């Protein structure tokens, strides 16, 4: 009987506070990052090496954001800040190479060498990643979203 009342209260709590769609999208982005990290770790294990990637915490961040956990929101913000800092440094470095050198670089992807690719083409995905991180930061720091994590 006690289990039923607890289960009923949980249903009422989740029905009372619907997850905003923007917060849901942010949580799913962390889930995708966590899945890609898990795949990367499993591929490395299959090849006989171990490579730990902290981005695997995206699984727990996903569930924490959906449960309105303040600790997992803070963890998500730390990951976002790291992404903002590294991607902004990447864009600045790539643009400085583009402005100063004006030439392509040698890129190795999946064992293939790609030469003579303009540096600006490397800036586009980094800038898009920066924009995604900035949008996620904006969602998690909005007043209405932030209050959902700290109000009972």
């Amino acid at each position: 009987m006690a289990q039923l009342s607890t289960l009923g209260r949980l249903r009422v709590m989740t029905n009372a506070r619907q997850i905003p769609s923007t917060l849901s999208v942010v949580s799913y982005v962390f889930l995708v990052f966590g899945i890609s990290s898990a795949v990367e770790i499993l591929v490395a294990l299959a090849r006989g090496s171990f490579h730990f990637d902290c981005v695997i915490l995206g699984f727990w961040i996903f569930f924490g954001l959906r449960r309105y956990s303040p600790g997992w929101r803070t963890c998500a913000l730390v990951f976002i800040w790291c992404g903002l800092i590294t991607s902004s440094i990447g864009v600045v470095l790539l643009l400085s190479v583009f402005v100063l050198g004006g030439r392509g670089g040698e890129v190795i992807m999946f064992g293939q060498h790609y030469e003579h690719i303009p540096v600006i083409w490397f800036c586009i995905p980094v800038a898009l990643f920066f924009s995604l991180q900035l949008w996620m930061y904006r969602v998690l720091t909005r007043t209405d979203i932030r209050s959902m994590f700290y109000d009972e």
Side-chain angles (χ1 to χ4, degrees):
M1 188 69 168
Q3 258 184 331
L4 280 170
S5 65
T6 304
L7 195 60
R9 272 189 262 143
L10 285 175
R11 282 192 187 126
V12 169
M13 280 178 47
T14 56
N15 288 340
R17 292 197 318 181
Q18 292 293 324
I19 297 174
S21 59
T22 55
L23 180 60
S24 184
V25 170
V26 169
S27 68
Y28 278 110
V29 168
F30 275 105
L31 181 63
V32 168
F33 287 157
I35 289 171
S36 69
S37 175
V39 168
E40 183 180 324
I41 290 170
L42 291 175
V43 167
L45 280 175
R47 292 183 177 164
S49 66
F50 179 73
H51 170 75
F52 182 74
D53 190 359
C54 290
V55 180
I56 199 162
L57 289 175
F59 283 120
W60 291 274
I61 293 172
F62 167 77
F63 292 112
L65 290 177
R66 298 187 76 77
R67 284 181 295 138
Y68 304 109
S69 169
W72 286 112
R73 176 185 168 268
T74 303
C75 184
L77 287 170
V78 168
F79 272 77
I80 290 170
W81 267 106
C82 290
L84 285 171
I85 291 168
T86 56
S87 61
S88 62
I89 290 172
V91 166
V92 168
L93 288 176
L94 286 170
L95 286 177
S96 66
V97 167
F98 178 71
V99 169
L100 296 176
R103 56 182 163 74
E106 182 181 352
V107 177
I108 301 172
M109 280 186 162
F110 305 112
Q112 298 289 328
H113 292 271
Y114 299 97
E115 296 178 10
H116 308 295
I117 298 175
V119 175
I120 196 71
W121 289 107
F122 297 114
C123 289
I124 293 171
V126 176
L128 289 173
F129 182 72
F130 178 82
S131 300
L132 174 68
Q133 295 286 324
L134 193 61
W135 176 79
M136 291 169 55
Y137 177 78
R138 172 67 182 121
V139 168
L140 288 178
T141 57
R142 275 189 358 215
T143 307
D144 59 331
I145 300 290
R146 187 176 52 226
S147 68
M148 298 177 93
F149 285 88
Y150 297 106
D151 286 346
E152 277 300 315

